[in-house]
Amino acid sequence: METKKALFIGKYPDAVFPYRQVFFQNLIFALADQGVECTVISPVPLTNFKHYKFGAHKVARKEIQHTPKGTAVTVYYPRYISASSKQIGSYNTEKLSERLFENSVMSVVKELDASFDFVYGHFFLYGGLAAVKVGKQLGIPSFIAYGECDFESQVKQTYGLPGKEQLEGLTGIISVSTKNTNELKALGIIDDVPILTAPNSADLTLFHPKDRSECRQKLGMPTDKFIVGFVGSFIDRKGDKRLLEAVNGIEDTYVAFAGKGDVPPAGDRVIFCQPLVHDRVSDFLSAIDVFCLPTLSEGSCNAIVEAMACGAPIISSDLPFNDDALDASNSIRIDPNSVAEIRQAIQSLKNDPERRLALARASLEKAQDFEIGQRASKIFNFIQTCSESFHAEA
């Protein structure tokens, strides 16, 4: 079979942010290992002073990366000037930032002496719209991965609804959840564009159950305590402070946080709080008794799927974005704004080891349907089918 050549556009891990959008990277690596020749363009915003003012020089303009299996992936990191996202009267500078991002992508595309079979943009802004533009320029199928937590706040309120001209030529959309698919259809901007619903997945060769005591010893956690685990940013949307408040009200219960943020959770009940490289997150998830993420908004939550793959019973939100992965067999669904409900769910699992074990077993079984290789194959087959229609109509 002829090797397919794919161009990916979006925010991607680099030397300054080695774990940014690592799940985008995981998908690309999985496709590369399945025989797709992968090239990535990920522009670096020089005007992001907080992170790149003194760090952009650490990011090479071109890199050859390798998957864990040794497959090569070519990554380009062009520079661009970002105008941030600020409201000035009726105008938001996000529109200018997006245009400058797209221009940076196009400058690399023009220099590449290569042909591609399709182009894939990660998220609508800073990836997807640029992919559509590249698709039109090169005359190839273009795809957008719709993984935003909320289109209204992350796209519409700042950039606005993309117009027909900006989406003209879009060949297909990969949506990360049934919730996202329904939201996208309701917008009325992509009526004739095929949509594949493909929830985020985990690398089951990395995320699987490990010995709990050994993992706790590796991470410096006590081996004789009941520990609730959390993975994510320390922001209100994710709910780390609500979780800590809930745990503070339960006797002899502790919480471990894997993540980072401007205001880390702290207190006597916090026994672990630090960022972890992705390869060590599986140790963390195997070390805990229960995984709890009272998040307010997601597209499709990778942390939950990875916790399932490690055999953790799940406590998380009773909101539609969790419906693809969580049900009564493997989780307790709670109102993420209710500290009382979070506390009650944790306490019920602490006091019922048999139920914890049943939920854990169901999590592990259900995780088999969320394997990254299967997802990559599903997406590639969708792209192949849509591409055939694209060329038939050309």
Side-chain angles (χ1 to χ4, degrees):
M1 185 178 70
E2 181 185 357
T3 299
K4 295 296 182 181
K5 297 181 179 180
L7 178 62
F8 297 88
I9 301 168
K11 295 181 179 179
Y12 184 87
D14 61 33
V16 176
F17 286 110
Y19 305 107
R20 177 182 60 183
Q21 300 297 354
V22 70
F23 307 106
F24 180 34
Q25 182 185 56
N26 289 344
L27 172 63
I28 293 170
F29 280 7
L31 285 168
D33 285 335
Q34 293 183 14
V36 179
E37 187 176 312
C38 298
T39 300
V40 183
I41 301 177
S42 180
V44 172
L46 291 176
T47 43
N48 186 334
F49 292 152
K50 181 178 180 181
H51 300 295
Y52 282 108
K53 184 178 181 181
F54 302 110
H57 67 280
K58 300 177 183 177
V59 182
R61 292 183 179 270
K62 179 182 177 181
E63 242 180 45
I64 305 297
Q65 300 182 355
H66 291 87
T67 73
K69 294 182 179 179
T71 310
V73 173
T74 303
V75 186
Y76 292 89
Y77 295 107
R79 274 50 171 171
Y80 78 106
I81 304 299
S82 171
S84 189
S85 178
K86 297 181 180 179
Q87 195 69 36
I88 304 175
S90 60
Y91 182 81
N92 193 290
T93 59
E94 187 100 78
K95 297 176 182 178
L96 177 58
S97 295
E98 171 64 25
R99 190 181 315 132
L100 293 169
F101 179 96
E102 292 174 12
N103 290 344
S104 179
V105 169
M106 294 305 298
S107 69
V108 176
V109 171
K110 290 175 182 177
E111 293 176 3
L112 290 179
D113 183 19
S115 60
F116 298 98
D117 292 290
F118 65 89
V119 56
Y120 176 112
H122 192 62
F123 293 168
F124 267 81
L125 299 184
Y126 309 111
L129 296 182
V132 177
K133 183 175 287 189
V134 170
K136 286 191 286 187
Q137 177 73 24
L138 300 183
I140 60 175
S142 58
F143 298 85
I144 291 177
Y146 176 42
E148 283 86 345
C149 296
D150 176 61
F151 193 93
E152 178 72 25
S153 62
Q154 292 185 282
V155 181
K156 188 176 178 181
Q157 288 180 8
T158 57
Y159 183 84
L161 274 177
K164 289 184 178 180
E165 181 180 344
Q166 292 165 292
L167 296 175
E168 182 184 1
L170 175 61
T171 311
I173 295 174
I174 294 90
S175 170
V176 299
S177 66
T178 302
K179 184 270 296 185
N180 273 28
T181 298
N182 292 337
E183 287 180 349
L184 201 53
K185 288 179 178 178
L187 290 172
I189 61 174
I190 44 83
D191 293 339
D192 299 324
V193 179
I195 303 176
L196 170 71
T197 302
N200 289 333
S201 301
D203 181 349
L204 301 188
T205 64
L206 178 62
F207 289 89
H208 53 82
K210 301 178 181 178
D211 184 87
R212 177 166 295 159
S213 294
E214 289 182 6
C215 289
R216 289 192 177 190
Q217 289 170 5
K218 283 184 187 178
L219 296 167
M221 295 182 189
T223 58
D224 59 344
K225 303 295 185 184
F226 185 83
I227 301 175
V228 181
F230 170 104
V231 176
S233 301
F234 303 146
I235 54 176
D236 182 68
R237 176 172 69 84
K238 292 290 188 178
D240 59 298
K241 306 305 187 299
R242 293 189 294 276
L243 171 57
L244 179 56
E245 184 179 351
V247 168
N248 282 337
I250 307 173
E251 185 178 353
D252 197 29
T253 301
Y254 300 84
V255 62
F257 294 94
K260 59 183 179 178
D262 293 336
V263 185
D268 295 341
R269 299 299 185 89
V270 178
I271 59 168
F272 184 95
C273 186
Q274 65 185 64
L276 289 172
V277 297
H278 194 238
D279 290 351
R280 295 195 68 198
V281 175
S282 59
D283 291 336
F284 178 90
L285 293 170
S286 293
I288 61 177
D289 293 290
V290 173
F291 180 82
C292 183
L293 188 71
T295 175
L296 302 177
S297 180
E298 300 286 339
S300 171
C301 185
N302 292 280
I304 288 176
V305 176
E306 290 176 345
M308 289 165 50
C310 290
I314 311 295
I315 298 171
S316 192
S317 313
D318 59 356
L319 296 173
F321 54 77
N322 272 334
D323 288 350
D324 293 311
L326 301 181
D327 56 33
S329 73
N330 69 335
S331 67
I332 297 179
R333 306 281 291 274
I334 45 86
D335 175 354
N337 279 308
S338 172
V339 172
E341 283 194 28
I342 299 168
R343 180 181 295 127
Q344 183 179 9
I346 294 171
Q347 200 154 24
S348 69
L349 291 186
K350 180 187 178 185
N351 296 334
D352 191 344
E354 289 187 5
R355 188 181 183 193
R356 283 206 311 274
L357 181 60
L359 294 183
R361 286 173 174 166
S363 278
L364 188 58
E365 182 178 355
K366 198 171 181 66
Q368 307 311 303
D369 295 329
F370 294 84
E371 191 272 324
I372 186 66
Q374 293 178 16
R375 182 174 191 260
S377 296
K378 186 177 181 181
I379 290 173
F380 185 65
N381 290 338
F382 172 76
I383 288 173
Q384 289 276 73
T385 300
C386 292
S387 295
E388 290 172 4
S389 298
F390 173 89
H391 291 299
E393 296 171 2

